[in-house]
Amino acid sequence: MAVIIRRVEFFLITLWAAVTINFILPRMMPGNPAEAMMAHFQGRLNPAALHALEVAFGVNTKETIWQQYVQYLGDIVHFKFGISLSNFPVPVMHVVMQALPWTLTLAGVTTVISFLLGTLIGMIAAWRRGGIADNLMPPVFVIISALPYFWLGLICIYVFAVTLHWLPSGFGYDEGGNINLSWTFIHQAITHAILPALTIIVTSIGGWILTMRNNMIGTLSEDYVRMARAKGLHPMRIMIQYAGRNAILPNITGFAMALGFVVSGLLLTEIVFTYPGVGYLFLQAVAAEDYPLMQALFLFVTIAVLAAVLLADVANALLDPRIRAR
Amino acid sequence: MAYQPIAIQEPAPSPATPAPATGRAAWAAGFVRIGAALSSNRKAVAGVLILLFFTVVAIFAPLIAPYSPSAEAFAPGMPPSSAHWLGTTSYGQDIFSQLVWGTRQTLLIGLIGGLAATALSVFVGVTSAYLGGMPDHVLSVITDIFLVLPALPLMIVIAAYEKGGGFWVLVGVIVITGWSFGARQLRPQAQSLRNRDFLESARVRGETSAHIIVFEVLPNMVSLIVAIFLGAALYAILAAAGLQFLGLGNPEDQSWGTMLFWGQNQEALMIGSPLWIIAPGACIAALGAAVALINYGVDEISNPALRGRKRKKKVYVVPNP
Amino acid sequence: MNEPALRSEPSALTASPVLEARGLTKHFHVGGIFSGKTLHAVDDFDLSIYPGEIVALVGESGSGKSTVARLLAQVYKPTSGEILYRGTPIESLHAREYRRHVQMVFQDPFSSLNPVYRASHGVLRSLKLYSKKPRSQLRQEAARILDLVGLTPSDQFLDKYPYELSGGQRQRYGFAQALACGPDLILADEPVSMLDVSIRLGILNLMADLCRDEGLAFLYITHDIASARYVADRMLVMYAGEVVEDGPTEDVLQHPKHPYTQLLLSAVPDPNAPAEAAFPMEMGEPPRVIDPKPGSRFCPRCPYAIPICSQETPRLRLVRPNHRVACHVAQAEEAIAEAVAQSRE
Amino acid sequence: MVRAVDGVNIDVQPGEFLGLVGESGCGKSTLLFAIGRLLSEPAEIVSGDVLFKGTNLVYLKEKQLRHLRWRGFSVVMQSAMNALNPVLTVGAQMADAIEAHERMPKAAMKRRSAELLQMVGIDPIHLSSYPHQLSGGMRQRAMIAMALVFTPDLIMMDEPTSALDVVAQRSLMREIKTLQEELHFATIFVTHDMALVRQYADRLAIMYAGQIVEHASTNEIFDDPKHPYTRGLLHAYPSLFGPKEELTGIPGRPPDLRTPPTGCRFHPRCPYVMEICPKEDVPLYSPRGDDLVRCFLFSNEVMTNERASAPL
Amino acid sequence: LSGMGARAASSRSHANVKYGGTVVLDNVGGALWTCGLNPYNGANNFITLGFTYETLVYDDALNGKIQPWLASGYSWSNGNKTLTFTIRKGVTWNDGKPFTAADVVYTFRLLRRNPALDGNGDWQVLKSVSRHGNNVVMNFKKVAVPDFYYVAGQTYIVPQHIWSKIKNPVTYIDSKPVSTGPMVVSKCDQQDIIMMRNPHYWQKGKPYIKELRAPAFLDNGPGNQYLAQGKANWGCQYIPNVNTYYVQGNSNRHWYYAPGSDVDLYPNNSVFPTNIKAVREAISLAIDRRRVSQLGVYGYLPPADQSGIVLPTYSSWYDRSLAKHYNYSYNPSKAIKLLESAGFKRGAGGIFQKNGKKLSLTILGVAGFSDWVAELQQIQNELKAVGINATVSNLSGDTQLSDIQSGHYQLAYYFTGGGPSPYYEMHYVLDSGLTAPIGSTATGDYERWRNSATDSLLNRYAQTTSSATQHAIINELQGIMLKNVPVIPVLEGVSWYQYDTTQLVGWPTRSNEYVNPGCNTPDQEIILLHLHLK
Ligand SMILES: Nc1ncnc2c1ncn2[C@@H]1O[C@H](COP(=O)(O)OP(=O)(O)OP(=O)(O)O)[C@@H](O)[C@H]1O
Ligand SMILES: Nc1ncnc2c1ncn2[C@@H]1O[C@H](COP(=O)(O)OP(=O)(O)OP(=O)(O)O)[C@@H](O)[C@H]1O
Ligand SMILES: [Mg+2]
Ligand SMILES: [Mg+2]
């Protein structure tokens, strides 16, 4: 119980802090969205448009910063995020909702795959200490994890899309495709996700392998594993139920955090692959000083991370009875 | 039951460097110990060699680079040749020279960004753990907030907000977004040290808190601090490359990240100068791999359980009496 | 009876105490920030230690013995109560002044030496802080102290590292650090609990020697009642954060008054006696120290409990010369016995 | 390379309670693990045999060994805190052990587990408890219950009471003894508490620096200790009840097993050291009866030559 | 009536034209589509304007030629203060409702009511708009003939029957525009906008093509790749090394870039050292514009002329003799001489100085525009070569604009605005009516050039419809540009334009430049109307 209260407390404090930082940051940036829009059109707009834009965006508002803050908090509580300036006059929610499923799916699937695969490899490497898997996999993937993933993406596009024509180089689905739940669409979505997913998985798996291996080596020397051997249990059971399950516990929170982070961390991948997710929206929002969009995105990502962490706590409690008791 | 001779292989010999009696030497000894242990770890040695190579290149860049990195002096888009080992950019600059000069900034970002982020992590993590109570609570929440805030977008906001995004802005952004991870790792270790009797023993002896933190606590965490530094340096290198790639650095800087920015901007892969993108990326990867390898080594050193079993098992047969 | 007279009887009982604790109480806040639970680690602890005296503190694991030591060593701040050093409240003493005179040897010899320094680091630091000797002679002085605690040849032991030492040697470095400050009182927290017999004995003999030769006072915390008997003049028995019995060692051992003391003594395995029958209160609930209710804390396990035990917290009362006990039943018996004796007279 | 256990011969009969005593670090736990082939890297058996009811465990394949484990012999590990898997309930861990060796319906499994817990004095309700929900003493008991699942022929207990205070220790010891008398299994009991084994063990093996130095019935050892080390041990215990006397203990400190002393390993600390001691390895031999001792003091040849000069 | 083309838009016979085909438009928007197609405020409207919403006339920015469009004719009266449009008959909205003069009046009144929509500033010059039967009469506050371009050529007419029901037209998303143009938006999601042929289009038989698709691109890179892979047949962005990357020797792939308006170096005329005429002249002379162009954009942007006339687009307005007289072709030694004669002396590092003040200045660029960064790097080197110590500061786009508008800069690299004649650019860079004191926001004339002669010339131009007078005035303005160098044109901005004739033909070409090429609005409609299957 206390754990949950402490978690909720943390959740609220962090949320408030993030929301506030979120409010302050864009306002500290110089310039204003109207000028950003003018700059975006690279001189193609009539100079008179600046005035129109300022009126439309409400740039020269007379409200004090405190009034704005209170207004802002109120809006957030009611889930009102206003209109995206860089996508004027489309509401922020619409812009975000259009992009969110893509990112969530890609991020979710890749992170889960990378975590599961990494954990499995780490587990086996530690179990067969000094074996081929142990001598090869961890160092190789640790090195790969040092690759800049966006660069890897560029190279992948060049090799697999441009040169070999095996896979599409970008977008979430084929040109002219319709978004629905048909097999054609799902097939398209998968084909288009292969390259971005691959770059993420390959560069993130090393961390999981290493931490799992290290944890597992720790648990393997625990007395309860020796005890399991003494009991004459099947080796698979010892590896999974005794060593593995205890070794995975410290990784769960990390996994949740990673799950939350990729939502924003996909940014470079999405740019490189023209993937229709929220990552790119961030960059766009910042470039256009689109406060409402930026704020909404920040909020969503923070909530995503926090929610993931909360979920991890639940998962931890399910897997680790000691936490449940506290 | 019968005769039972049993042999236990000795654990890897304890580090040879003696523990010193004075505070400053304890620090030095910590580093020496890690250095000595690193030299016996093959992965770490490989990492150190790569790192040394890049360091030499960075220091002697003016001597190594055949041309000025920014001079737009040659025919654009030349393929590799003996005059231009990696060809030229579409602005007519020598790619190899850019690569050589770019080593400097990339290394500096890794070094300075890593050091600063580590310093902040150590400060927050250790202070928080040592003080305990309310300060600990506040500092932990701050750490967690920074951990939860989406780093890359935050970096983009800050980098965009500071005009031009020069070197120091880049470092600042990296430090702001990169310290919390280390602090989070350090806190529990410092906390577990905090209740070790030797610290209370020092307190009972009458030492001041500052003395205890600096000379009793920290020397015990040298290997973790080194690991955090390496992690932070790797983060700094990759994050800086990402930001510069997005055009959020100063595009006139000489670094591998800006090379990627220009290369991508000029579609180097498509217009026949692929090395413009491949070379700096590969260098970042090599540098990153070096840091990752050293980190891997440090990990094995600080956690004896992880040490490799490369030595062949010697079996002693005890003759039956 | 062969009385080896390890040391002279505590002659100083008449002198003023080195350290006095009055109503020392330590409560720990447990659970989350919102849970208001309080763990009563130590409640209302009184103690006076006189120069040249060894006081043994025994009791169940978790009964608050280490907490008492840490409170006295000012590692923890007491929740309430006061500590007087030679009659002066310690708040009005300079922190270093107090440290110099009251030292502590920590329970665990393996964690009380900083692994990054030579084992003599603590001794040298203590000398640097408190010794008036010139710097050049500090090493010599340290060697002298190591000699004193039996770490010979001391030259060699000055340069050893913790990982090269056995438990007993480490323990003696702890002693050495405490001694280097030149204290009047050493709070020794289970200094022998994890050592095997021979090392254990060495330390006990060392304590006795120091007491006799230097007039030092000790608070000796232990699980090993036989060893307490071996060195201590006085014995305090703690149960669930409270002192339940306090008296001269032999008297407490011969005439244990509190049922817990009786249980404790009966459970000590005796190599010279075969296992005997079960003691009635062996099993039973562990004491309630989180938000305890008034009443005797041993009451739920006590076969002699009378109604008042669960309602009123017993206070320590004199039941024999110099021997006090906190038990309603024992006090009542004593009162009756006294009344009977008086009526006989 | 450390010879943690070097040339140890012990044997234990059905229904016997064998105490194994020695200073800390002398190789007691290692010996138990070696017997059960439970040594984990880097430790290994380099030579010797373990004959369990005639089968040599040392040469058994891992798979065959698995079938023998727990049914034939079981172990109660030194630290009950760490020897139970923290994420599985006590019941699940007992069921694990049963499942590994026998097909049994769930209900029967549960009945058996409950029975065993009851036998060691734990409410069967704790079958669904996790280890951390039990007190130290209860955990020790649960381990013992688990070791009894198949009523094996041999149970090896490694300091099962070290985590307990004297009160709890005594009640657990009594239970073990009762169970043993009922079920008639052999016990190897490791401890460094002389007082404890005095009360419970039938026979004692005294270890020093990886070797057995004395092996005899408990009464024999307490009444007439032979090896100087045993004598030292007995003389290092202050007594709670007897007369108060000054004790001296054993001078010196245990040897470093990486470079054990030559000849008799105890010679650097031995008050009766003789010329021959550092020079020749001492065999474990029987000066009289079944008792074994590893000391030249009782060897006839040496005795005749040197006894006169050595005070006993 | 005057200035009226005789025929309604081109109406050649459709007999031999094949119908069908898909245009894939590759116009990088830097964002995924959000389908805000509101013609006045939509973030994505640039992709549909012209194709959907149309204007009263089509005013060709390349040559000033005016084609009647939704208005079949117009006339000036009342000393050029009244403008009367005759609204075309037979036009219907794509929902089948007829288009009338009322819609036009409604549109203009909508803009008056909502300044946020009036991005062209129509109501800064208009006094009233009213309907007279089939005519729409506009009264101007003052004579402003050049604003005809905005009022008639850039104001998109919306249907009254739809828009009058909208509560807030400013935030109206309008993802399915009801419009008069040749295409109808049939689908819009984040990745694609698809427009289908409007069967009710008022130009009978047009358009020929069936479908127009515009995928969204976040960045030039993927957009260019898409084009290079042949997936799109109409491209509108900068492609590095276009011959290698895009054409690849394929005879069906073409590109040509028509210059529109200059990219200038704005020297702040009210701060040292750019307030010194000699310095400005020296800068203009010191820049090797051809090389700058070569380095920045493979030479695709032609070097600009100091006269401010974009060549060859407006060559008919160019005063060759004047240009020859002043001769601003690349000449560093002349630049040095000029500085010396202005009293500057060489100091440390070869940098000029005067009265102890070093001739050093900062050039503001934009970090995100890689071509500008490269160009400015070159300019910086060239200025150093003549003893001017220039440093480049690359900012974010909006920061740079903000600094330029408020006058907090010395030298800045920025666009100019254009229109169907050189007047528009001259007005943009020279009219002190657009400028503001330093610290306040200027909407043009960022260099703060204040000259009454210039202002009166611009004023006179605004009053006349006579071509001869206009030419004379532009000639005089060229003189001012050359003599005083208030701004320094560096390169001529172009409309990026690539096209693929594998399937579709009818594209404007270098030789048949029937319309301003690229993806300009509403010009892209004219191109579309010409396209048909091979
Ligand atoms: N820092 C602390 N925070 C919370 N509770 C504590 C703390 N220190 C001690 N306690 C609690 O106070 C009680 C007394 O602990 P203490 O260590 O004094 O016992 P002890 O008598 O020394 O036991 P042992 O014989 O096992 O050393 C225990 O219940 C313990 O859990
Ligand atoms: N993994 C290991 N690596 C190196 N040495 C080891 C290892 N395990 C045990 N030893 C050494 O083997 C010797 C015997 O250890 P063991 O654990 O058997 O002692 P023990 O008699 O059980 O001691 P205790 O009474 O403290 O449990 C010790 O000297 C110990 O240091
Ligand atoms: Mg304690
Ligand atoms: Mg052991």
Side-chain angles (χ1 to χ4, degrees), chain E residues 173-235:
Chain E
I173 296 171
D174 199 16
S175 57
K176 287 242 151 84
V178 173
S179 55
T180 54
M183 304 304 284
V184 185
V185 174
S186 76
K187 178 188 150 191
C188 179
D189 61 31
Q190 67 250 53
Q191 210 171 280
D192 267 309
I193 295 178
I194 295 177
M195 292 175 257
M196 302 301 286
R197 183 175 190 274
N198 176 6
H200 307 295
Y201 187 51
W202 55 271
Q203 294 191 39
K204 296 295 168 247
K206 288 198 173 180
Y208 310 122
I209 58 117
K210 179 170 140 265
E211 186 185 352
L212 185 151
R213 207 162 59 70
F217 294 99
L218 304 180
D219 197 13
N220 272 4
N224 292 347
Q225 243 171 56
Y226 199 74
L227 205 57
Q229 288 168 5
K231 292 182 180 163
N233 42 21
W234 182 352

Side-chain angles (χ1 to χ4, degrees), chain E residues 46-127:
Chain E
F46 65 95
I47 213 77
T48 54
L49 288 182
F51 300 140
T52 55
Y53 291 107
E54 296 182 305
T55 52
L56 289 172
V57 303
Y58 172 64
D59 192 349
D60 193 331
L62 284 187
N63 48 27
K65 262 203 351 224
I66 293 166
Q67 295 182 46
W69 214 253
L70 290 179
S72 52
Y74 71 91
S75 65
W76 288 101
S77 55
N78 186 20
N80 291 345
K81 270 183 98 169
T82 300
L83 179 59
T84 306
F85 288 99
T86 309
I87 302 306
R88 186 180 296 279
K89 287 203 177 108
V91 177
T92 56
W93 296 102
N94 59 28
D95 61 357
K97 299 258 164 56
F99 160 81
T100 67
D103 290 313
V104 178
V105 173
Y106 171 80
T107 300
F108 278 91
R109 290 187 178 164
L110 179 74
L111 300 186
R112 181 166 58 182
R113 272 198 310 276
N114 297 287
L117 300 181
D118 190 9
N120 285 313
D122 289 353
W123 287 93
Q124 286 168 22
V125 289
L126 284 179
K127 200 161 84 192

Side-chain angles (χ1 to χ4, degrees), chain D residues 212-217 220-221 224-228 230-231 282-303 307 312:
Chain D
I212 300 279
V213 293
E214 191 161 354
H215 194 353
S217 78
E220 184 71 27
I221 285 189
D224 180 17
K226 297 211 169 47
H227 198 282
T230 315
R231 292 182 203 179
V282 207
L284 192 63
Y285 65 97
S286 170
R288 78 178 170 293
D290 286 345
D291 308 351
L292 295 171
V293 69
R294 192 189 290 275
C295 180
F296 284 123
L297 281 176
F298 308 94
S299 128
N300 286 329
E301 317 97 76
V302 180
M303 238 186 272
R307 198 166 190 183
L312 233 179

Side-chain angles (χ1 to χ4, degrees), chain E residues 1 7 14 33 63 76 92 95 112 133 142 144 172 193 204 224 259 275 387-388 404 416 444-445 474 499:
Chain E
L1 289 180
R7 304 171 299 163
H14 313 305
W33 303 138
N63 48 27
W76 288 101
T92 56
D95 61 357
R112 181 166 58 182
K142 56 175 187 193
Y172 180 48
I193 295 178
K204 296 295 168 247
N224 292 347
N275 56 354
I388 301 174
I404 294 175
T416 60
D445 188 10
I474 295 293
Y499 60 95

Side-chain angles (χ1 to χ4, degrees), chain C residues 28-30 39 41 59-68 76 107 189-190 223 289:
Chain C
F28 288 107
H29 190 91
V30 290
L39 186 150
E60 202 174 35
S61 172
S63 58
K65 304 182 295 296
S66 299
T67 309
V68 165
Y76 292 159
Q107 185 167 357
D189 188 0
E190 298 194 27
H223 273 301
V289 285

Side-chain angles (χ1 to χ4, degrees), chain B residues 1-11 13-14 309 313-321, chain D residues 1-5 7-10 34 39 41-51 258:
Chain B
M1 281 307 142
Y3 185 59
Q4 280 291 324
I6 292 154
I8 294 176
Q9 187 140 15
E10 222 178 297
S14 23
R309 302 258 167 79
K313 273 184 245 167
K314 283 185 209 128
V315 176
Y316 293 94
V317 178
V318 179
N320 278 13
Chain D
M1 163 113 172
V2 176
R3 267 164 212 249
V5 175
V8 169
N9 284 307
I10 55 168
L39 290 173
E41 283 197 75
E44 57 178 329
I45 300 178
V46 282
S47 82
D49 307 294
V50 179
L51 295 174
R258 272 175 284 179

Side-chain angles (χ1 to χ4, degrees), chain D residues 21-90:
Chain D
V21 185
E23 277 183 54
S24 105
C26 70
K28 304 180 297 290
S29 305
T30 312
L31 176 61
L32 290 196
F33 290 144
I35 293 171
R37 289 254 325 257
L38 289 168
L39 290 173
S40 50
E41 283 197 75
E44 57 178 329
I45 300 178
V46 282
S47 82
D49 307 294
V50 179
L51 295 174
F52 177 76
K53 296 206 288 183
T55 320
N56 193 337
L57 300 185
V58 174
Y59 301 112
L60 228 48
K61 289 233 167 59
E62 191 62 37
K63 211 166 177 181
Q64 295 168 302
L65 192 62
R66 214 168 77 212
H67 295 303
L68 206 55
R69 279 177 171 161
W70 224 247
R71 266 180 171 289
F73 60 93
S74 55
V75 191
V76 176
M77 307 255 258
Q78 188 161 6
S79 54
M81 183 70 212
N82 301 329
L84 290 173
N85 186 345
V87 298
L88 295 182
T89 60
V90 173

Side-chain angles (χ1 to χ4, degrees), chain E residues 384-446:
Chain E
K384 281 233 172 81
V386 299
I388 301 174
N389 182 23
T391 42
V392 178
S393 171
N394 291 310
L395 310 177
S396 71
D398 59 324
T399 318
Q400 190 225 23
L401 177 60
S402 158
D403 284 355
I404 294 175
Q405 286 177 332
S406 58
H408 294 304
Y409 72 98
Q410 287 172 304
L411 203 56
Y413 203 47
Y414 195 66
F415 308 102
T416 60
S421 79
Y423 162 82
Y424 293 87
E425 185 170 327
M426 295 288 192
H427 163 74
Y428 186 83
V429 297
L430 297 178
D431 192 341
S432 68
L434 297 177
T435 201
I438 287 191
S440 314
T441 303
T443 53
D445 188 10
Y446 305 125

